[in-house]
Every structure is written in structure tokens, then in C-alpha cells.
């Protein structure tokens, strides 16, 4: 009896620069290359669409919206995608798309997985309820020990899997061969490089890095 590879759909708001976006693409590329699994990414799109390759399909949907009516419309859009492409697993990586995907999965009886990417703020009951969709997966992936402990505290009943979020070291190597696009050189004159793989925002500690560099001699 021939085994068929599962079809996986990852959902997120957009494909612009960021850790969630990069992780989504890295996972899609890795499982497609390693296991031959057919993968789909649904999002509003963005600059990182240009690097998708290897049979990964992008489905453009307005999943970046926080408008309740549009989120409801996304439920039926994702329902159609799941049916049309015979999706076996839906993997949600952000709260807005996760709500639409969760309802679509209930309607199609499709396994639903989430990745808990951040320590979502929960200042009131409405916000806490909105965040809780990330704990509704049949499996909940946590990306660090800190996030894993946080999920255990907030949602002790969930089935968690701690999978550390990483980066593609080869992609950022000075010897990397860029066959998908031709960016400006990252390395010049063999000077030392301080590599901070994150968005340029204080929450990521960029101010600490700048202060540390200013103290160097």
C-alpha cells in the first residue's frame, strides 16, 4: 500500500520581514526538501514571497485583517482552501489568522496546530480570550523555555511541544550561494560581523546591542 505525504497549510498575517515570517518559510522549505511534503502558505503576501521555491504554494488571503467581519469571511475562504487542496494539517502562527483557521478546521474536521511565538499581552478578559486561540491547537508548539513556562502557567491543560526557534545558519553564511535572489553583499573586506537576527526594535534588545558596541575598543 503506497503512503501519501500529508499536505500542510501554514497561516499567518503576511510575508514581510520578521521572525514568524522567516520561521514559516524555513519550516516549509525544510519539510518540503527533506520529506517531499506538499506545503502551502496562506497570507496577505509581502516581500518574502519572492524567495518561495521548491514547490511551496502561496495562497493570498487577507489574513492580516483584524476586522471581525473580514475574519469571518476568512473562515469560509480557508474552508474552501482546505477542501480544494485536500489539506491534512493546518498550522497557525498568529492570533487573527488562527481564529479563522480554527473555525475552518472545526468545519472540516482537520487537525489544528499552533505555534506560540510570543508572550502575548493580556491586560483584560477580552484580550486574554483573543490570545487563547493560540492554545486551542491539538498540539501547541512553544519556541523557547520562557514561552513554554508561560503557556504552562496560562494554559496548563494544553499538549505542548517545546521546539526551539532557530535560524538557517547556511542562509547567513558568508559562503552562501544565493540562487533565488541577489541581495547586496552581507560581508565586506572580512571585517568582524556582529549578527543580530531580529527586527530592529527595543523589545528584541537592539538598544542593548548598540550600547555594547559603543563600549567596544
Amino acid at each position: 500500500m503506497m503512503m501519501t505525504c500529508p499536505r500542510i497549510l501554514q497561516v499567518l498575517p503576511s510575508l514581510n520581514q520578521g521572525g514568524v515570517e522567516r520561521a514559516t518559510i524555513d519550516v516549509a522549505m525544510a519539510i518540503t526538501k527533506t520529506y517531499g511534503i506538499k506545503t502551502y502558505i496562506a497570507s496577505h503576501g509581502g516581500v518574502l514571497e519572492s524567495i518561495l521555491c521548491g514547490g511551496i504554494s502561496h495562497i493570498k488571503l487577507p489574513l492580516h485583517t483584524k476586522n471581525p467581519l473580514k475574519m469571518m469571511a476568512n473562515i469560509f475562504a480557508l474552508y474552501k482552501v482546505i477542501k480544494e487542496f485536500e489539506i491534512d494539517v493546518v498550522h497557525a502562527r498568529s492570533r487573527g489568522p488562527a481564529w479563522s483557521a480554527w473555525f475552518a478546521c472545526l468545519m472540516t474536521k482537520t487537525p489544528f496546530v499552533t505555534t506560540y511565538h510570543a508572550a502575548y499581552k493580556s491586560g483584560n478578559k477580552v484580550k486574554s480570550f483573543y490570545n487563547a486561540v493560540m492554545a486551542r491547537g491539538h498540539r501547541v508548539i512553544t519556541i523557547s523555555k520562557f514561552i513554554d513556562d508561560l503557556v504552562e502557567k496560562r494554559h496548563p491543560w494544553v499538549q505542548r511541544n517545546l521546539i526551539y526557534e532557530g535560524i538557517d545558519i547556511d542562509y547567513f553564511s558568508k559562503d552562501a550561494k544565493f540562487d533565488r535572489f541577489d541581495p547586496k553583499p552581507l560581508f565586506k573586506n572580512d571585517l568582524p560581523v556582529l549578527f543580530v537576527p531580529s527586527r530592529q526594535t527595543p523589545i528584541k534588545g537592539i538598544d542593548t546591542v548598540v550600547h555594547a558596541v559603543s563600549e567596544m575598543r
Side-chain angles (χ1 to χ4, degrees), residues 9-15 20-21 24 41-45 59 61-68 70-79 82 90-106 112-115 117 120 130-131 133-134 136:
L9 171 67
Q10 296 187 83
V11 297
L12 71 163
S14 63
L15 282 178
V20 172
E21 293 81 357
T24 300
I41 296 175
S43 79
H44 185 59
I59 302 167
L61 294 174
L63 295 174
H64 64 304
T65 184
K66 293 185 179 180
N67 182 304
K70 292 182 179 179
M71 289 173 66
M72 188 175 297
N74 283 335
I75 296 173
F76 298 98
L78 287 171
Y79 173 91
I82 292 170
V90 175
H91 183 175
R93 292 180 171 273
S94 184
R95 292 164 294 174
W99 275 110
S100 299
W102 181 62
F103 280 108
C105 286
L106 288 178
F112 179 63
V113 176
T114 64
T115 292
H117 278 280
Y120 307 114
Y130 181 70
N131 296 341
V133 68
M134 301 308 293
R136 291 179 180 268

Side-chain angles (χ1 to χ4, degrees), residues 12-75:
L12 71 163
S14 63
L15 282 178
N16 291 311
Q17 296 289 354
V20 172
E21 293 81 357
R22 186 74 246 184
T24 300
I25 293 175
D26 284 349
V27 167
M29 289 183 172
I31 61 179
T32 300
K33 180 180 179 180
T34 305
Y35 302 106
I37 293 174
K38 181 61 179 175
T39 61
Y40 300 82
I41 296 175
S43 79
H44 185 59
V47 297
L48 293 181
E49 280 185 74
S50 61
I51 68 171
L52 295 177
C53 64
I56 301 169
S57 299
H58 180 254
I59 302 167
K60 189 165 186 176
L61 294 174
L63 295 174
H64 64 304
T65 184
K66 293 185 179 180
N67 182 304
L69 294 178
K70 292 182 179 179
M71 289 173 66
M72 188 175 297
N74 283 335
I75 296 173

